[in-house]
């Protein structure tokens, strides 16, 4: 959809709003030094408590990313008892990360015991059944990397779980779980989608950030 | 053997004897078969190993296969000694020694050895070997779990089962069994017996290696079923098929002889119908009455009740779904509902200003449907309250009225040459259009077919399942002035019967459209026929000669049946119920 470029010029964006967007991104991802330097450069006001928990969050996030789920769980519980209690899905995902670690280190007996004690209670609920079976299947293979469930051992999966954990902690601290940047891009994409659905073939193409930034 | 002519007889004898030898020698394993035979029949080596050794006149049965399935049948019947003896005497072993070893190892639970033997049996197809190994190792896995040897089970899964690289969804399941919460209970259910495992393996392995269970029985059953299907006049309920003779029903299974003449009406009999359970017959007559007849245990009918009350001729009757009540329809008059056991009239249904012309019960037995002479159709509950009605050109003055067993579709003749199938719920209408005027129709028991009588003396069979189409035509009977009715009948409704104006009852074979019988006897047009739903050997016909005839089997044709006589009068017999 080719809009009149003058329409863009007529819309002024407040600098403060831009600063908030950048800060929200930096804080979400625990880039502490970048936050401090950004505050120094722009003079943006920031509440002090945002920074306190960022260190803890950063450590938790990295433990989860590495696959050290037990440590991540321990620190999360220190931070706030009920985050995991209220979020069973997350708890399951973290425990399963530990299970995967054991399997990858070829500690079969330990993995089996861990699964029997910690993971199989989840199996009583139907929604965890399939996920549980996926993980259990890893036990059957001498080389789990070559099994049909190899994606469960990947970095992408650990990233996914670490992200969920991060969001849960942010929510607990009454901070936004999604960065403003993400939300803006999502908004633009969805609006484009709606427009093209209504306009049919003549409507605008799907939103592409890359193309947009080039234009 | 030079100088042949003089020695021809001798040559022939030698040929005969060598034929006799072919059956005896069998490669390497027979040790004792030749002892005791006279010297001219001493075996010479077989002409060539490539010769097919066949049995049977058609030359299609291989001796080795035949003997092996007989041996298998002997073993499964429990005759182990006979089976072993047969293997020995014929020199044809049921299973190769490798297979015997394999079977024993399975039953002993000797898993690793059995997998090794499996590889040595010599199966051509790799995937079969793998699938069979999978089954065997699965059994090993479950037996470990059942004995609470979880780590061994896990090891079997990881080291032996998963590397087979087949059936990954089953591997998934097996993993989850290891972790499952209630091992004792679950495994008891999952673990199959070793003989069951052997059966499963038998199905997997090619039949030449391991003969399938009950193969001989299966072949014999196949032959019997084919005989039954090929039997053109198959109409016998209980007749046991024997292995001694090929099964073949002749026309002697079709009712063709008058067993009884029922004289109780004072005028033309227009309609007859057996009840659903075949215990009663209802007849309707121009003499303004209907009669309920009872079918006795000896197969003879007697009057149960005479239903009087109509002031007009009774054109048709309809049995309630449970056969306890009967509807009778007076022509353009009223419909009466009668109790079958007492003969009392329970209810009269009338519509002021219109005459009722046809009636039928609702499948649930709680409502009745009636056609009126103003061309509409009405639905009443048993007390006479009108529940629904369909106006417009729905039925004709002279029309049958039927409803499908699910209560969904109503059938009636809406125009001279059209039968309408009207769906009560969706209000959809389907039509069967003929190029001739339709005089009557009859719905098959399975509601999938409609038999339609036409003015021009043809009867058409329509398949009404989705798009109606003609699937059969029957000719030969006569119709000129009157309504003639036809019906389905016999075992599985394999026959079509009809009345005719030439006073005969006509019977056709439904699928081949062949006219099987034209039965004389009546002295007036035969208006209606009804085949007893519970007795495929009993047919009733109603005629203008004021009588109803009951037709049954002609016992003189039956060679093996006992004939019961009844002290003079008509001889009858019951066809074996």
């Amino acid at each position: 959809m080719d809009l009149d470029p003058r329409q863009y010029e007529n819309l002024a964006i407040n600098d403060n709003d831009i600063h908030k967007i950048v800060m929200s991104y930096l804080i979400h991802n625990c880039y502490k030094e970048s936050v401090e330097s950004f505050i120094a450069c722009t003079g943006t006001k920031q509440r002090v408590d945002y920074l306190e928990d960022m260190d803890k969050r950063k450590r938790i996030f990295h433990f989860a990313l590495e696959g050290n789920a037990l440590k991540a769980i321990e620190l999360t519980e220190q931070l706030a008892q009920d985050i995991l209690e209220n979020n069973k899905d997350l708890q399951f995902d973290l425990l399963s990360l530990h299970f995967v670690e054991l399997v990858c280190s070829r500690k079969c007996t330990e993995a089996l015991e861990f699964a029997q004690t910690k993971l199989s209670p989840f199996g009583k609920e139907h929604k965890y059944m399939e996920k549980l079976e996926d993980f259990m299947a890893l036990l059957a293979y001498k080389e789990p990397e070559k099994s049909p469930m190899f994606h469960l051992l990947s970095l992408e999966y650990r990233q996914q779980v670490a992200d969920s954990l991060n969001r849960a902690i942010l929510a607990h601290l009454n901070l936004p779980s999604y960065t403003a940047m993400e939300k803006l891009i999502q908004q633009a994409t969805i609006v484009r989608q709606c427009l093209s659905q209504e306009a049919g073939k003549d409507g605008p193409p799907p939103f592409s950030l890359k193309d947009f930034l080039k234009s | 053997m030079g100088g042949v002519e003089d020695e021809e007889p001798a040559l022939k004898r030698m040929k005969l004897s060598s034929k006799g030898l072919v059956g005896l020698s069998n490669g390497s394993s027979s040790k004792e078969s030749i002892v005791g035979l006279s010297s001219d029949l001493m075996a010479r080596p077989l002409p060539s190993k490539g010769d097919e050794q066949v049995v049977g006149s058609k030359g299609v049965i291989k001796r080795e296969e035949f003997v092996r399935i007989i041996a298998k049948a002997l073993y499964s019947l429990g005759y182990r000694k006979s089976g072993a003896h047969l293997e020995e005497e014929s020199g044809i072993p049921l299973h190769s020694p490798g297979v015997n070893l394999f079977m024993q190892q399975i039953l002993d639970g000797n898993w690793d050895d059995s997998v090794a033997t499996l590889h040595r049996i010599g199966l051509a197809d790799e995937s079969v070997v793998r699938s069979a190994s999978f089954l065997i190792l699965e059994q090993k896995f479950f037996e470990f779990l059942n004995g609470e040897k979880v780590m061994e089970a896990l090891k079997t899964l990881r080291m032996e089962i998963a590397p087979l690289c087949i059936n990954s969804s089953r591997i998934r399941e097996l993993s989850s069994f290891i972790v499952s919460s209630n091992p004792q209970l679950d495994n008891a259910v999952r673990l199959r017996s070793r003989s069951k495992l052997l059966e499963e393996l038998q199905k997997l392995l090619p039949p030449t290696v391991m003969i399938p269970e009950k193969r001989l029985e299966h072949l014999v059953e196949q032959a019997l079923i084919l005989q039954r299907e090929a039997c053109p006049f198959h109409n016998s309920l209980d007749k046991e098929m024997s292995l001694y003779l090929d099964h073949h029903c002749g026309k002697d299974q079709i009712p063709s002889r008058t067993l009884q003449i029922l004289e109780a009406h004072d005028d033309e009999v227009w309609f007859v119908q057996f009840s659903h359970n075949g215990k009663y017959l209802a007849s309707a007559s121009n003499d303004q009455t209907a009669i309920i007849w009872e079918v006795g245990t000896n197969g003879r009918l007697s009057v149960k009740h005479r239903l009087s009350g109509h002031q007009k001729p009774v054109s048709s009757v309809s049995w309630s779904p449970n056969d306890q009540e009967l509807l009778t329809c007076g022509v353009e008059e009223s419909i009466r509902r009668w109790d079958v056991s007492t003969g009392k009239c329970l209810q009269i249904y009338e519509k002021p200003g219109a005459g009722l012309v046809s009636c039928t019960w609702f499948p649930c037995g709680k409502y009745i449907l009636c056609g009126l002479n103003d061309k509409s159709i009405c639905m009443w509950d048993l007390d006479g309250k009108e529940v629904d009605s369909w106006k417009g050109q729905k039925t004709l003055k002279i029309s049958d009225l039927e409803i499908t067993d699910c209560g969904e579709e109503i059938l009636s003749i809406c125009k001279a040459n059209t039968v309408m199938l009207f769906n009560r719920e969706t209000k959809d209408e389907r039509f069967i259009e003929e190029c001739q005027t339709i005089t009557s129709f009859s719905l098959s028991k399975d509601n999938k077919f409609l038999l339609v009588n036409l003015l021009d003396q043809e009867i058409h069979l329509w398949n009404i399942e989705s798009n109606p189409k003609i699937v059969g035509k029957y000719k030969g009977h006569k119709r000129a002035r009157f309504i003639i009715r036809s019906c389905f009948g016999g075992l599985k409704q394999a026959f079509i019967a009809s009345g005719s104006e030439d006073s005969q009852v006509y019977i056709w074979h439904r699928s081949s459209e062949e006219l099987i019988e034209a039965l004389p006897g009546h002295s007036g047009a035969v208006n209606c026929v009804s085949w007893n739903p519970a007795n495929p050997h009993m047919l009733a016909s109603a005629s203008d000669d004021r009588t109803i005839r009951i037709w049954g089997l002609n016992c003189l044709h039956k060679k093996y049946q006992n004939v019961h006589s009844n002290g003079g009068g008509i001889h009858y017999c019951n066809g074996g119920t």
Side-chain angles (χ1 to χ4, degrees):
Chain A
M1 185 157 88
D2 295 334
L3 282 176
D4 182 356
R6 283 173 297 173
Q7 285 184 299
Y8 286 103
E9 287 167 37
N10 289 342
L11 195 61
I13 311 286
N14 192 328
D15 250 4
N16 271 338
D17 291 336
I18 308 274
H19 292 169
K20 284 191 195 144
I21 292 173
V22 175
M23 278 296 276
S24 112
Y25 177 79
L26 295 175
I27 289 176
H28 183 101
N29 289 295
C30 307
Y31 298 142
K32 187 164 169 219
E33 284 107 13
S34 309
V35 169
E36 287 168 346
S37 115
F38 188 74
I39 292 179
C41 291
T42 59
T44 316
K45 298 278 192 293
Q46 206 54 243
R47 284 162 49 183
V48 185
D49 52 358
Y50 277 39
L51 306 172
E52 257 177 38
D53 298 316
M54 214 195 295
D55 270 335
K56 295 186 192 156
R57 250 194 318 126
K58 187 172 179 181
R59 292 185 68 211
I60 294 175
F61 182 86
H62 279 288
F63 277 128
L65 197 61
E66 283 163 23
N68 192 343
L70 290 183
K71 194 77 185 161
I73 293 175
E74 189 195 316
L75 292 178
T76 308
E77 283 178 344
Q78 274 177 15
L79 185 58
Q81 274 285 6
D82 46 354
I83 294 183
L84 290 179
E85 266 173 41
N86 295 341
N87 198 335
K88 287 283 175 202
D89 287 355
L90 188 53
Q91 198 180 30
F92 179 80
D93 285 342
L94 284 168
L95 289 171
S96 61
L97 267 191
H98 181 70
F99 176 78
V100 167
E101 267 304 297
L102 290 171
V103 168
C104 284
S105 351
R106 307 290 192 261
K107 293 181 186 154
C108 292
T109 329
E110 264 187 70
L112 181 59
E113 267 177 41
F114 181 76
Q116 278 170 326
T117 45
K118 294 282 197 248
L119 286 179
S120 62
F122 283 90
K124 297 203 180 83
E125 276 177 72
H126 187 74
K127 61 173 175 163
Y128 294 116
M129 278 292 325
E130 216 184 297
K131 266 189 175 177
L132 189 57
E133 279 177 16
D134 276 345
F135 284 104
M136 293 307 103
L138 286 170
L139 276 177
Y141 296 91
K142 282 184 282 191
E143 292 175 335
E145 306 82 32
K146 299 203 181 137
S147 73
M149 270 70 57
F150 65 92
H151 59 277
L152 298 171
L153 292 84
S154 66
L155 178 60
E156 282 84 24
Y157 181 71
R158 293 201 292 277
Q159 177 99 39
Q160 227 183 313
V161 178
D163 277 339
S164 304
L165 184 53
N166 193 24
R167 291 192 216 282
I169 299 176
L170 284 165
H172 175 85
L173 298 171
N174 281 322
L175 290 172
S177 303
Y178 290 88
T179 62
M181 189 91 77
E182 275 184 274
K183 288 203 244 188
L184 280 170
I185 300 180
Q186 282 174 340
Q187 175 77 357
T189 313
I190 290 183
V191 167
R192 264 297 180 89
Q193 270 176 13
C194 286
L195 286 173
S196 42
Q197 266 171 8
E198 282 179 29
K201 276 185 294 194
D202 302 325
F207 181 76
S208 154
L209 184 59
K210 204 166 80 170
D211 294 342
F212 180 75
L213 292 175
K214 277 196 224 156
S215 65
Chain B
M1 295 185 211
V4 168
E5 288 84 7
D6 305 340
E7 293 179 9
E8 258 184 49
L11 259 178
K12 279 192 188 147
R13 241 184 289 126
M14 296 220 61
K15 274 196 194 147
L16 278 172
S17 55
S18 68
K19 237 199 215 164
L21 285 172
V22 165
L24 286 173
S25 70
N26 182 35
S28 49
S29 49
S30 70
K31 299 173 195 131
E32 43 180 81
S33 29
I34 309 180
V35 173
L37 294 164
S38 70
S39 47
D40 4 319
L41 296 177
M42 277 308 276
R44 283 177 286 152
L46 252 179
S48 67
K49 282 271 165 138
D51 270 6
E52 291 279 311
Q53 301 175 36
V54 292
V55 296
S57 54
K58 307 258 191 283
V60 290
I61 305 176
K62 301 188 186 99
R63 171 179 294 271
E64 187 183 309
E65 293 191 353
F66 196 52
V67 171
R68 283 176 82 198
I69 62 173
I70 294 175
K72 181 86 186 183
L74 285 172
Y75 281 119
S76 49
L77 285 170
Y79 305 134
R80 302 198 64 81
K81 280 198 279 188
S82 303
H85 199 71
L86 175 58
E87 285 190 73
E88 219 185 287
E89 220 183 347
S90 65
I92 299 175
L94 177 57
H95 293 128
S96 70
V99 173
N100 276 328
L101 179 61
F102 176 70
M103 285 168 53
Q104 193 57 46
Q105 285 168 334
I106 296 286
L107 292 172
D108 292 339
N110 215 332
W111 312 120
D112 299 331
D113 286 340
S114 70
V115 174
T117 314
L118 181 65
H119 280 88
R120 285 200 303 265
I121 287 180
L123 295 166
D125 192 349
E126 245 318 290
S127 64
V128 170
V129 177
R130 254 190 277 180
S131 307
S133 306
F134 194 96
L135 277 179
I136 298 172
L137 292 168
E138 236 191 3
Q139 183 76 9
K140 183 177 177 187
F141 174 85
F142 279 120
E143 289 197 0
F144 274 142
L145 273 191
N146 211 34
E148 301 202 32
K149 299 198 178 117
V150 179
M151 288 318 293
E152 279 90 329
L154 183 59
K155 186 164 162 231
T156 310
L157 181 58
R158 287 167 64 89
M159 302 297 172
E160 294 170 56
I161 300 183
L164 289 172
C165 294
I166 52 173
N167 207 347
S168 45
S169 53
R170 182 62 176 162
I171 293 183
R172 224 175 108 98
E173 273 186 323
L174 296 176
S175 306
S176 68
F177 291 154
I178 297 191
V179 185
S180 78
S181 40
N182 195 353
Q184 210 58 354
L185 182 64
D186 298 329
N187 286 324
V189 171
R190 283 179 214 126
L191 182 65
R192 58 160 101 84
S193 70
R194 289 176 185 173
S195 42
K196 204 89 181 65
L197 171 64
L198 199 51
E199 263 180 54
E200 293 289 314
L201 286 168
Q202 222 160 41
K203 287 184 206 157
L204 203 57
L205 296 175
T208 43
V209 169
M210 255 189 171
I211 310 239
E213 281 294 325
K214 304 218 187 282
R215 182 63 191 160
L216 187 58
E217 290 89 326
H218 172 80
L219 286 170
V220 173
E221 281 176 342
Q222 216 177 51
L224 288 177
I225 290 173
L226 280 171
Q227 281 174 20
R228 188 176 68 195
E229 283 170 7
C231 177
F233 302 123
H234 191 71
N235 196 31
S236 29
L237 264 178
D238 295 314
K239 187 160 182 170
E240 277 162 19
M241 298 185 76
S242 166
L243 292 181
Y244 300 137
L245 289 174
D246 275 5
H247 177 75
H248 183 76
C249 287
K251 281 208 232 167
D252 58 308
Q253 290 295 311
I254 313 279
S256 53
R257 195 158 179 261
T258 304
L259 297 184
Q260 208 181 345
I261 302 179
L262 306 177
E263 297 171 301
H265 279 293
D266 299 325
D267 207 327
E268 298 167 1
V269 189
W270 286 354
F271 196 92
V272 276
Q273 194 175 64
F274 279 100
S275 61
H276 300 101
N277 58 13
K279 292 198 185 127
Y280 300 104
L281 180 71
S283 60
S285 167
N286 198 17
D287 70 4
Q288 301 181 353
T289 68
I291 297 181
I292 298 179
W293 307 80
E294 189 165 350
V295 180
T297 41
N298 54 7
R300 287 188 76 76
L301 278 75
S302 50
V303 174
K304 187 173 165 74
H305 293 297
R306 196 180 194 100
L307 311 174
S308 320
H310 281 289
Q311 301 299 310
K312 289 283 180 71
V314 185
S315 59
S316 64
V317 300
S318 178
W319 287 94
S320 69
N322 61 7
D323 291 335
Q324 283 174 10
E325 294 178 4
L326 188 72
L327 292 177
T328 55
C329 184
V331 176
E332 295 196 55
E333 188 215 33
S334 61
I335 289 178
R336 285 175 180 244
R337 181 163 63 94
W338 309 81
D339 179 286
V340 170
S341 42
T342 62
K344 293 222 174 343
C345 177
L346 300 171
Q347 184 87 21
I348 303 178
Y349 304 91
E350 284 170 316
K351 193 152 185 172
L356 300 168
V357 295
S358 58
C359 61
T360 189
W361 282 86
F362 239 69
C364 60
K366 298 204 180 79
Y367 306 100
I368 60 173
L369 269 182
C370 310
L372 291 91
N373 61 1
D374 66 1
K375 305 203 179 144
S376 65
I377 298 178
C378 243
M379 179 173 160
W380 277 319
D381 71 11
L382 293 183
D383 298 324
K385 202 171 75 192
E386 186 172 308
V387 168
D388 207 344
S389 75
W390 297 274
K391 305 247 186 301
Q393 183 100 358
K394 298 290 179 208
T395 189
L396 296 181
K397 263 201 211 172
I398 299 175
S399 166
D400 288 315
L401 188 62
E402 297 228 34
I403 185 165
T404 54
D405 284 341
C406 50
E408 266 182 33
E409 274 193 318
I410 296 177
L411 291 85
S412 82
I413 305 176
C414 63
K415 277 195 293 218
N417 60 347
T418 312
V419 172
M420 175 183 68
L421 296 92
F422 171 67
N423 189 316
R424 272 193 329 123
E425 274 150 53
T426 67
K427 309 277 185 261
D428 279 343
E429 289 174 357
R430 293 194 289 154
F431 297 96
I432 290 181
E433 282 193 31
E434 284 278 2
C435 25
Q436 279 278 333
T437 307
I438 299 176
T439 57
S440 65
F441 63 79
S442 177
L443 191 58
S444 70
K445 201 147 84 165
D446 59 12
N447 289 177
K448 290 184 185 162
F449 295 93
L450 195 67
L451 201 58
V452 173
N453 278 58
L454 301 174
L455 197 70
D456 70 350
Q457 304 181 137
E458 271 192 23
I459 301 176
H460 287 177
L461 180 64
W462 287 77
N463 179 325
I464 55 169
E465 271 185 280
S466 44
N467 282 328
K469 53 184 191 290
I470 295 187
V471 294
K473 291 188 184 180
Y474 309 93
K475 294 183 245 233
H477 63 301
K478 300 276 174 287
R479 194 223 85 85
R481 295 168 292 148
F482 311 123
I483 304 284
I484 298 288
R485 294 206 143 81
S486 57
C487 71
F488 293 92
L491 196 68
K492 301 209 173 84
Q493 300 210 313
F495 302 95
I496 307 283
S498 177
S500 170
E501 277 179 36
D502 67 5
S503 317
Q504 297 187 96
V505 173
Y506 282 76
I507 301 180
W508 295 264
H509 187 233
R510 178 170 156 180
S511 44
S512 69
E513 299 175 8
E514 189 192 328
L515 178 66
I516 305 177
E517 295 278 13
L519 306 174
H522 278 294
S523 46
V526 180
N527 299 314
C528 184
V529 288
S530 178
W531 210 307
N532 191 327
N535 181 353
H537 300 153
M538 184 185 280
L539 185 64
S541 57
S543 166
D544 278 353
D545 68 6
R546 305 181 184 187
T547 68
I548 299 164
R549 283 194 176 224
I550 303 295
W551 305 83
L553 297 182
N554 192 345
C555 290
L556 295 175
H557 287 168
K558 284 181 141 224
K559 296 179 203 152
Y560 308 109
Q561 194 82 1
N562 291 327
V563 177
H564 304 273
S565 67
N566 193 25
I570 302 171
H571 288 256
Y572 67 94
C573 90
N574 258 348
T577 31

